[in-house]
Amino acid sequence: MAQIPERPKKAEKKTKPSNTSIELDPPPSYIQHRIEIFQKLKAQQDAELAQRPRSNINVTLDNGRVEFGQAHVTSPATIARSISKSLLERTVIARVNGEELWDLERPLEADCRLELLDFEHPEGKKVFWHSSAHVLGEAAERKYGCDLCIGPPVDDGFYYEMALPEQRAVQPEDLEPLSTIADKAIKEKQTFERLEMSKEDLLDMFKTNKYKQHIIKDKIPDGTRTTVYRCGPLIDLCRGPHVPHTGRIKAFRIMKNSASYFLGDSQNDSLQRIYGVSFPDKKQMDEHLKYLEEAAKRDHRRIGKDQELFFFHEMSPGSCFLLPHGTIIYHALQSFIRSEYWKRGYQEVHTPNMFNSELWKRSGHWKHYHEDMFTFDVEKETWALKPMNCPGHCLVFGHRTRNYKELPMRMAEFGVLHRNEASGALAGLTRVRRFVQDDTHIFCAEEQAKILALFDFLQSVYGCFGFTFKMKLSTRPEGFLGDVETWDRAEKNLQSALEKFASKGGVKWELNPGDGAFYGPKIDVTISDALKRDHQCATIQLDFQLPQQFNLEYVTGEVVQPKAKTEGEEAKANGAEVETKPQGQPQPDEKSFRKEVSPGCARPVMIHRAIYGSFERFIAILTEHFAGKWPFWLSPRQILVIPVMPAVNDYTVEVQKIFREKEMHVDIDVSGNTMQKKIRTGQLQQYNFIFVVGAQEKESRTVNIRDRDDPATQAKGEMIKLDDAITKMEQLRDSRSLPKVAVKEAGAPGA
């Protein structure tokens, strides 16, 4: 009897590894050590808080509504819950008195103004992603037994840095188990608990983690206290605040990993960095992933390679090689901004690429930037490649006597600059070592510092690319140069201009305290691209300091009154001996370069201004903004001429020659491919127009035009006389208009 064959066995379903197989067992001993210290000190803190007086307080919401509560009892969550459950659920964090961010469950302490911020608020998003970083840190400790370093929010999510045992690296196959542990922590709805601790207790709590030890010793002054936060087994050094519990995170995803250095210093330990992103709604995660997919299609590095715009080489990292097509775009951008300079009375100069370091010491840049400069020795003296143009422009202004009639002097330069960026920070055209800026410096009398005119300049340029923009006023930083009174005057000037611009329908602005340049306050301008991503490009800086450092002055034209002599000068003139006081050594600071203004002269002020920023970075932004579909005036592939048959190749070449004589970028395809393949290739290469010519076109001196941005012309184009086509193309180029079809905007609600 025939043997019945066995049925093939069904393939076993793949199951996710259990948590017990992907976590360390037993867990690292430092976890229990931290928990014991935390529980002891938390009990003490709770007992102390319980003794504080429960006085009545008034809580004023941002809509003017006043809620009543008790100090050390009523929390922002109490207020939100009393209004509506949905408000509580969508609120991420609170802000007290317009300044301090506050945990939702942390009791309020006195009368206050209260704002309830959700995920869409920039501060709410930062806190949400910071809390998510703690979940990632917990997962990493439970899997690796690693030493955590820092875990901040970033523009598109968060990351955590860590040192794995035996300096091993994170592997791609580690990411799924880490996600599994993180998901478990989220489902547990672990509460975030806040505890204030002394420096001594912190050093004990993190005694096995040398990185936390360094941060505690370096950042926390002796005799002071700071906070830690706990969620589940993780306790981390952190100022907070955080979401109420991990269950607020509805969508969590680990995105990638990389290597890094502790504190960003290549002299320190090499670490592992894991990136993630999270959202309070799964739909937002789906939208974010679609956005990332669209962003990948627009990546300027991919398009740059496909369209042969630029490349990089290991022989000069961070310095791009612009190919012919990329150079066409560069020259078009330069020609545009140069034409705007001509309208506005700017004058171009060229200054050297390298200077003696004494120039930078005089300007004050050496103290702040010398580590980011390329330096070298010339005849036993230290020199450097210039990282900015402003000190050189001060030398241009000061090389001869200036008269008030020459002001304002608008000095422009497309200068080659170099900055010694770390190799790990280099990223395509957006972060390079060698670049060119559209840099200008306006030397003027203080009353001539008209900032509003520069806003008009911004609108003219950015509007041409379809960009909207936002502005921030960055004020006096620590380590500033000069005196407070002068800074206050400069800040008031910029603020007044911003307020006037906003009142006339211009963009709103924000205050960015303490982030000005060391020599003056500045307005940072951020543009928004087709994916609604923000890019900081332009800057406007009002500088009273560099003109003093270089003793710049101009003749005012006012009558000079004789200077009254001091008692000492009068006595000396009469032959009397004058007692002189001993003089110390000159102070080795920036102010030691300054001299009194000459009689009949005044000190100019200086406005630093760039609109593109660097050409390289701006080209990267434009590449992604237009997704490689360049407007006609910028395009390196404006026209492709295709013959229907070899018999009209001569007319094809003639058309190319005619349009090239009009300074247009025209290619022809006289290969043996079929006409349809030639057209398809031209479409993929993003030619703005494809001219198809045959016997009829040759005889009638016309061209059949397919317009990339007009779908109606793709099947069969419009026949236009050659002279009319020339006029149309010239008008389109010279108007610098955007394509008929608006730049596609891919929403990025989670970005």
Side-chain angles (χ1 to χ4, degrees):
M1 186 169 112
Q3 191 173 5
I4 299 173
E6 293 184 8
R7 289 182 180 179
K9 292 183 179 180
K10 290 183 178 180
E12 293 184 7
K13 290 183 179 180
K14 289 185 178 180
T15 58
K16 285 189 176 181
S18 66
N19 290 334
T20 54
S21 67
I22 60 178
E23 295 183 37
L24 294 177
D25 188 15
S29 58
Y30 60 69
I31 290 180
Q32 187 58 35
H33 171 73
R34 290 188 318 216
I35 290 174
E36 289 173 358
I37 294 176
F38 184 91
Q39 289 176 333
K40 175 185 173 183
L41 297 177
K42 184 69 164 60
Q44 294 174 6
Q45 176 178 282
D46 291 346
E48 180 190 338
L49 292 174
Q51 300 302 314
R52 294 187 180 178
R54 278 23 182 183
S55 56
N56 293 330
I57 59 172
N58 295 332
V59 180
T60 306
L61 303 180
D62 50 359
N63 63 1
R65 175 175 170 175
V66 178
E67 296 285 338
F68 304 104
Q70 280 188 310
H72 309 296
V73 175
T74 303
S75 68
T78 309
I79 303 293
R81 192 179 291 111
S82 71
I83 298 172
S84 75
K85 182 181 177 182
S86 62
L87 175 61
L88 174 63
E89 289 175 347
R90 69 174 179 267
T91 301
V92 172
I93 203 68
R95 183 161 58 190
V96 174
N97 293 327
E99 296 179 355
E100 185 175 3
L101 293 178
W102 201 272
D103 297 290
L104 284 182
E105 299 290 353
R106 181 183 170 191
L108 300 166
E109 298 172 355
D111 291 347
C112 63
R113 288 181 291 107
L114 182 68
E115 297 170 82
L116 301 172
L117 312 180
D118 62 15
F119 180 79
E120 298 308 319
H121 191 283
E123 295 293 351
K125 190 170 291 183
K126 285 180 184 177
V127 167
F128 192 91
W129 282 342
H130 186 191
S131 299
S132 302
H134 278 236
V135 173
L136 175 57
E138 176 186 335
E141 283 193 343
R142 289 166 65 174
K143 175 168 177 56
Y144 300 119
C146 57
D147 286 336
L148 296 179
C149 301
I150 58 172
V154 290
D155 290 343
D156 55 356
F158 53 88
Y159 69 78
Y160 223 119
E161 283 185 339
M162 62 201 72
L164 272 56
E166 301 176 357
Q167 295 296 303
R168 61 162 287 204
V170 173
Q171 301 300 316
E173 57 268 22
D174 292 343
L175 302 186
E176 184 177 349
L178 281 169
S179 294
T180 301
I181 301 171
D183 289 342
K184 180 186 176 187
I186 290 168
K187 289 175 183 176
E188 290 173 355
K189 296 185 178 181
Q190 299 168 351
T191 57
F192 279 89
E193 299 178 87
R194 179 180 184 272
L195 174 64
E196 291 187 10
M197 294 180 62
S198 68
K199 183 174 183 177
E200 293 72 21
D201 287 333
L202 287 168
L203 290 170
D204 182 20
M205 175 177 276
F206 297 100
K207 65 181 182 181
T208 64
N209 187 325
K210 67 177 183 178
Y211 306 105
K212 299 292 186 186
Q213 289 272 317
H214 176 91
I215 294 170
I216 292 165
K217 291 175 181 177
D218 185 55
K219 300 295 183 183
I220 303 172
D222 292 341
T224 64
R225 301 171 68 83
T226 192
T227 55
V228 296
Y229 276 79
R230 177 182 179 181
C231 63
L234 177 76
I235 300 169
D236 203 5
L237 180 68
C238 178
R239 287 196 299 266
H242 286 282
V243 297
H245 58 79
T246 58
R248 286 296 192 94
I249 303 166
K250 303 301 183 185
F252 182 98
R253 190 180 182 102
I254 294 175
M255 304 301 292
K256 61 180 180 179
N257 65 284
S258 66
S260 62
Y261 293 109
F262 180 52
L263 302 179
D265 188 340
S266 61
Q267 302 301 312
N268 291 339
D269 289 356
S270 178
L271 303 174
Q272 296 295 297
R273 181 182 289 183
I274 303 176
Y275 291 86
V277 70
S278 61
F279 295 95
D281 184 277
K282 290 181 180 179
K283 183 181 177 182
Q284 288 173 299
M285 178 67 81
D286 294 338
E287 291 171 345
H288 180 69
L289 295 177
K290 288 180 182 177
Y291 156 77
L292 292 179
E293 184 180 347
E294 178 65 24
K297 292 177 184 176
R298 293 169 177 257
D299 191 313
H300 75 277
R301 291 164 292 191
R302 183 186 68 79
I303 294 174
K305 181 180 179 181
D306 292 346
Q307 296 190 355
E308 295 189 82
L309 304 179
F310 63 88
F311 73 93
F312 289 89
H313 198 279
E314 61 185 6
M315 289 294 102
S316 186
S319 301
C320 85
F321 290 73
L322 277 181
L323 294 168
H325 285 146
T327 303
I328 288 170
I329 296 169
Y330 172 88
H331 282 154
L333 289 171
Q334 189 181 65
S335 177
F336 173 40
I337 207 77
R338 185 172 273 143
S339 69
E340 294 295 321
Y341 285 168
W342 181 258
K343 295 176 189 175
R344 292 169 167 81
Y346 286 80
Q347 303 173 76
E348 281 191 55
V349 298
H350 287 283
T351 58
N353 273 7
M354 60 183 191
F355 289 93
N356 191 301
S357 62
E358 292 302 314
L359 176 78
W360 312 109
K361 291 174 184 176
R362 180 167 192 159
S363 69
H365 289 93
W366 191 259
K367 176 180 176 181
H368 297 271
Y369 297 120
H370 77 275
E371 292 181 355
D372 298 321
M373 297 166 70
F374 287 101
T375 60
F376 47 93
D377 289 339
V378 177
E379 297 178 348
K380 299 182 180 180
E381 292 190 334
T382 302
W383 285 55
L385 294 176
K386 65 177 179 182
M388 66 280 294
N389 290 310
C390 37
H393 289 186
C394 287
L395 296 183
V396 173
F397 184 93
H399 88 282
R400 68 166 174 81
T401 302
R402 299 291 179 181
N403 190 280
Y404 73 95
K405 295 179 181 179
E406 297 179 75
L407 304 185
M409 180 180 291
R410 302 176 179 90
M411 199 178 296
E413 179 172 11
F414 299 110
V416 176
L417 307 176
H418 290 83
R419 295 182 185 174
N420 191 8
E421 301 282 0
S423 58
L426 301 176
L429 292 178
T430 60
R431 196 74 175 266
V432 292
R433 288 174 173 163
R434 184 265 188 203
F435 57 98
V436 177
Q437 280 190 329
D438 63 322
D439 211 5
T440 67
H441 296 94
I442 303 170
F443 297 88
C444 59
E446 185 173 348
E447 61 273 15
Q448 294 175 320
K450 307 298 184 185
I451 305 300
L452 273 174
L454 297 178
F455 296 159
D456 173 70
F457 200 167
L458 291 177
Q459 286 183 312
S460 297
V461 173
Y462 290 153
C464 196
F465 302 104
F467 288 134
T468 58
F469 63 91
K470 298 179 288 190
M471 297 192 286
K472 287 184 179 180
L473 173 58
S474 298
T475 57
R476 184 173 63 248
E478 294 182 6
F480 63 91
L481 187 61
D483 59 86
V484 173
E485 291 76 13
T486 302
W487 271 83
D488 288 346
R489 201 162 72 248
E491 289 174 6
K492 186 177 180 180
N493 184 310
L494 294 183
Q495 182 172 337
S496 175
L498 287 166
E499 289 172 347
K500 287 179 182 177
F501 185 60
S503 69
K504 293 179 179 179
V507 298
K508 294 182 179 179
W509 59 280
E510 299 176 18
L511 190 63
N512 186 23
D515 201 37
F518 72 90
Y519 47 77
K522 61 178 180 173
I523 297 171
D524 290 319
V525 183
T526 303
I527 61 175
S528 183
D529 69 7
L531 293 181
K532 304 189 189 306
R533 298 173 299 186
D534 290 339
H535 306 274
Q536 202 270 305
C537 290
T539 184
I540 299 170
Q541 302 169 359
L542 184 54
D543 181 2
F544 285 76
Q545 305 305 324
L546 286 190
Q548 295 184 62
Q549 291 299 102
F550 287 90
N551 300 308
L552 304 182
E553 55 186 34
Y554 62 92
V555 178
T556 63
E558 296 177 358
V559 178
V560 181
Q561 298 296 328
K563 184 180 176 182
K565 294 182 179 179
T566 64
E567 291 182 9
E569 290 171 335
E570 192 73 43
K572 190 173 182 180
N574 294 331
E577 291 188 9
V578 180
E579 180 182 356
T580 58
K581 296 180 180 180
Q583 299 293 317
Q585 292 296 317
Q587 292 297 315
D589 62 14
E590 293 94 340
K591 291 185 179 180
S592 63
F593 296 100
R594 301 184 179 189
K595 298 178 182 178
E596 290 292 325
V597 180
S598 302
C601 293
R603 194 80 77 204
V605 298
M606 186 176 177
I607 301 172
H608 306 243
R609 193 244 65 205
I611 293 182
Y612 293 158
S614 82
F615 276 81
E616 287 77 2
R617 187 164 180 270
F618 200 69
I619 288 172
I621 293 168
L622 289 176
T623 304
E624 298 184 5
H625 179 59
F626 293 121
K629 294 185 176 182
W630 298 98
F632 186 75
W633 70 275
L634 271 178
S635 180
R637 293 180 172 90
Q638 293 177 324
I639 300 169
L640 175 65
V641 188
I642 296 174
V644 173
M645 62 192 80
V648 293
N649 282 358
D650 58 338
Y651 183 57
T652 302
V653 173
E654 182 187 355
V655 170
Q656 180 191 33
K657 181 181 178 182
I658 290 171
F659 279 86
R660 283 186 61 83
E661 287 175 351
K662 301 297 182 179
E663 298 185 358
M664 295 182 203
H665 306 295
V666 188
D667 298 317
I668 60 174
D669 187 347
V670 292
S671 67
N673 292 326
T674 65
M675 186 182 74
Q676 291 304 320
K677 186 171 183 180
K678 292 176 183 180
I679 291 173
R680 181 58 181 155
T681 300
Q683 290 171 335
L684 291 174
Q685 292 175 331
Q686 300 300 339
Y687 280 92
N688 298 79
F689 296 96
I690 296 176
F691 291 0
V692 178
V693 295
Q696 184 180 357
E697 284 80 13
K698 179 179 179 180
E699 182 179 348
S700 60
R701 303 290 291 173
T702 59
V703 288
N704 189 294
I705 299 179
R706 284 169 165 80
D707 182 344
R708 182 195 67 191
D709 302 312
D710 184 359
T713 66
Q714 298 308 310
K716 179 173 174 60
E718 180 184 5
M719 284 187 64
I720 299 178
K721 289 188 176 296
L722 208 52
D723 290 342
D724 292 341
I726 293 170
T727 301
K728 176 182 178 180
M729 296 300 153
E730 286 182 325
Q731 289 175 345
L732 183 61
R733 178 193 61 196
D734 297 342
S735 68
R736 296 192 176 94
S737 59
L738 291 174
K740 296 176 187 175
V741 180
V743 176
K744 179 185 176 184
E745 292 193 357

